[in-house]
Amino acid sequence: MIADKRVLAAVLLASALIFMGLTVCAKSKETTVSKREGFCIQEISDELFERMKGGNTYKEDCIVPREDLRYLLALHVDKDGNTHQGEMVVHKLIAEDVLEILEKLYDAGYPIERMVLPDNYMADDETMMRDNNSSAFNFRFISHTSRISKHGLGMAVDINTLYNPYHKFVKNDDGSTTEVIEPATAKPYLDRTKKFDYKIEKGDLCYTLFAEKGFEWGGDWTDRKDYQHFELPSNITEKYSAMYSK
């Protein structure tokens, strides 16, 4: 019950912040605003930056400059047709493309259930994915390296995460295999022959729009599957990761 109250409080606070962010966005001279209400690109304000640090997406060891990130506000609809004001932080390199994609998905009625910053979940991927949240920037290095992950750069976007899970079989030292499913509650959605809400498929509108902008889809990978995941190619992201790591 206490945990539920905390989640509700976080959601209410986030809603207030989103609303305030939209108002600031519409008035800011330093902001690129689309021609439509509910869709805009904003630099990272002081208030938002504090929220990101407190929510753990902009960690103490983050080396991606604040000025290279952008805050997106975009309307989206859920499977029942309800409209929500969503938010997302991405790298400035993809900000206009991602906003355009989200705008076209909204116009087409393509359902996205939830789109709030990972800071609402203290940047915990498992919790966020179980809640079917769509997001982008969440700083981290690739394990055992000094290279920044694509989400750490803000150059990867996850959409409808519960219904489009990450899946891989890992070989252990003793010859056995371990099945990895992220989020752990997503096993029912690994059968991609079934029809269910929020499923991303090759050739659908979400896939097509990201592909047209040069993104790669994790559902196309052969060594693992990441059906929620769209990212810029490594020949682009590696340059930024190396530049920031120096």
Side-chain angles (χ1 to χ4, degrees), residues 6-240:
R6 288 176 179 172
V7 171
L8 177 60
V11 171
L12 292 174
L13 175 60
S15 299
L17 289 170
I18 292 171
F19 178 79
M20 288 188 293
L22 180 58
T23 303
V24 173
C25 184
K27 296 179 179 179
S28 173
K29 294 180 180 179
E30 300 177 350
T31 300
T32 301
V33 182
S34 79
K35 296 179 181 179
R36 301 172 57 181
E37 184 177 355
F39 295 89
C40 67
I41 302 171
Q42 181 181 349
E43 294 181 357
I44 306 300
S45 66
D46 291 342
E47 293 79 9
L48 177 58
F49 193 49
E50 289 303 314
R51 180 182 167 200
M52 292 167 64
K53 289 191 293 183
N56 212 34
T57 57
Y58 201 97
K59 301 171 178 61
E60 290 185 2
D61 61 348
C62 183
I63 56 176
V64 176
R66 166 184 171 179
E67 57 268 22
D68 283 1
L69 299 173
R70 293 294 182 270
Y71 180 55
L72 307 185
L73 288 163
L75 298 177
H76 62 97
V77 295
D78 60 26
K79 65 181 179 62
D80 298 317
N82 302 308
T83 298
H84 306 273
Q85 179 69 76
E87 59 175 350
M88 185 178 291
V89 170
V90 301
H91 194 278
K92 66 181 182 182
L93 183 67
I94 66 170
E96 291 187 12
D97 285 344
V98 173
L99 188 69
E100 181 181 329
I101 290 169
L102 294 175
E103 192 169 358
K104 288 182 177 179
L105 291 174
Y106 172 74
D107 285 342
Y110 189 98
I112 296 176
E113 185 172 21
R114 189 168 289 102
M115 191 194 309
V116 299
L117 299 191
D119 303 283
N120 284 29
Y121 307 88
M122 289 304 294
D124 183 79
D125 282 334
E126 179 69 17
T127 304
M128 178 170 58
M129 288 188 290
R130 291 187 184 198
D131 205 29
N132 200 33
N133 189 53
S134 300
S135 68
F137 175 75
N138 189 358
F139 184 79
R140 55 183 173 266
F141 292 100
I142 298 173
S143 297
H144 309 297
T145 76
S146 60
R147 291 181 296 139
I148 309 168
S149 75
K150 295 188 180 185
H151 277 295
L153 289 167
M155 295 183 185
V157 180
D158 289 342
I159 301 292
N160 290 330
T161 50
L162 173 62
Y163 300 92
N164 299 283
Y166 174 92
H167 185 227
K168 184 178 182 178
F169 287 97
V170 179
K171 287 188 177 181
N172 302 315
D173 294 337
D174 61 3
S176 63
T177 59
T178 299
E179 184 179 25
V180 178
I181 304 172
E182 297 176 355
T185 53
K187 190 169 185 176
Y189 309 110
L190 289 178
D191 185 350
R192 309 307 285 183
T193 66
K194 292 182 178 180
K195 292 183 179 180
F196 47 84
D197 294 322
Y198 300 116
K199 183 174 72 168
I200 299 172
E201 298 181 277
K202 188 168 185 175
D204 77 359
L205 183 61
C206 187
Y207 171 92
T208 299
L209 292 175
F210 274 101
E212 288 175 349
K213 296 296 186 181
F215 286 80
E216 298 174 352
W217 181 46
D220 283 332
W221 296 341
T222 56
D223 62 330
R224 63 199 186 284
K225 296 295 182 183
D226 199 353
Y227 297 106
Q228 64 193 252
H229 184 86
F230 296 92
E231 64 175 37
L232 285 188
S234 294
N235 65 325
I236 298 174
T237 60
E238 286 294 332
K239 293 178 182 178
Y240 282 87

